[in-house]
Amino acid sequence: MKNGGYMKDALILFVITLISGFLLGGAYQITKDPIDKATEAANLAAYKKVFPEAADFISDEKMEAAIETCNTELLSQNFGKVGVDNAFQAVDGSGSVQGYVITSHSDDSYSGVVQISVGIKEDGSINGIEFLAISDTPGLGLKAKEPAFKGQYAGKNQESLTVTKSGNAGDGEINAISGATITSSAVTNAVNAALYYVHNIDR
């Protein structure tokens, strides 16, 4: 092929790449706001599920700064690869604090990340948990989203929880999902990260 042929092909490829870049950039700008709004709505729905008594969820600079401190300290705890992603006070209509909603995650689930919101009352007891992200095996790990598993956390009032295969969980224990102990442990340790923030971090 002559040099002119190479130059023509290169020019065509350049133009195609340039147009594709503009199209992708335009698509991103068009879809970004709707995606952000959908994510925000999904998160708010989760917060309401784990703390339905709250009228609003608020945070401040001190609470946000405490997340970094918490995540540093979590590295030395025996909870695996966990972290706190955000933290809010759950307040009633008069602005009085009723408890906290903490979003936390574990990177140790069977298919990777599991992210949850945890509602924790002022007395330290768990009000409920709700899943924001999980992609484990249907029929096994995904059973974590069912009330029979996630409902176990409500009312627990401990600084941390462990998973048991006994089927007879005590005060500080959660019954594992049959065949999905890894998922059970990952969810429980994500809960432990949220509990650590509330029980141990100055905020």
Side-chain angles (χ1 to χ4, degrees):
M1 183 179 291
K2 296 180 180 179
N3 288 340
Y6 286 120
M7 290 297 293
K8 181 180 178 182
D9 290 346
L11 182 59
I12 292 172
L13 184 60
F14 172 75
V15 171
I16 291 173
T17 303
L18 190 64
I19 292 173
S20 298
F22 276 122
L23 290 175
L24 287 172
Y28 173 76
Q29 290 299 327
I30 291 171
T31 59
K32 183 178 182 302
D33 283 348
I35 291 173
D36 288 347
K37 289 179 180 177
T39 300
E40 185 177 342
N43 288 346
L44 183 58
Y47 304 159
K48 290 295 290 183
K49 282 186 178 179
V50 301
F51 224 116
E53 306 93 335
D56 199 3
F57 305 95
I58 61 175
S59 189
D60 56 31
E61 291 183 358
K62 187 175 182 181
M63 288 189 73
E64 292 172 4
I67 291 173
E68 183 175 350
T69 302
C70 178
N71 287 337
T72 299
E73 294 187 14
L74 283 171
L75 294 174
S76 62
Q77 304 302 310
N78 191 30
F79 301 146
K81 292 181 284 186
V82 298
V84 168
D85 302 313
N86 60 47
F88 297 95
Q89 291 176 329
V91 298
D92 63 15
S94 66
S96 298
V97 177
Q98 303 298 303
Y100 303 90
V101 173
I102 313 297
T103 298
S104 57
H105 71 272
S106 168
D107 292 336
D108 297 324
S109 198
Y110 188 78
S111 294
V113 177
V114 58
Q115 186 184 42
I116 58 175
S117 283
V118 186
I120 302 173
K121 294 181 179 178
E122 272 282 75
D123 66 2
S125 63
I126 296 173
N127 210 30
I129 75 167
E130 187 60 35
F131 287 83
L132 296 175
I134 183 171
S135 56
D136 285 10
T137 308
L140 290 173
L142 281 188
K143 286 185 175 180
K145 298 176 70 174
E146 297 177 0
F149 178 76
K150 70 179 183 181
Q152 296 182 79
Y153 294 91
K156 297 284 187 183
N157 194 345
Q158 306 287 329
E159 291 199 7
S160 66
L161 301 168
T162 58
V163 170
T164 178
K165 296 181 182 180
S166 70
N168 188 26
D171 290 342
E173 296 178 320
I174 296 295
N175 287 318
I177 302 166
S178 179
T181 304
I182 292 175
T183 302
S184 306
S185 296
V187 175
T188 300
N189 280 327
V191 171
N192 285 337
L195 290 171
Y196 190 89
Y197 179 91
V198 171
H199 285 282
N200 297 286
I201 300 298
D202 180 19
R203 55 189 184 282

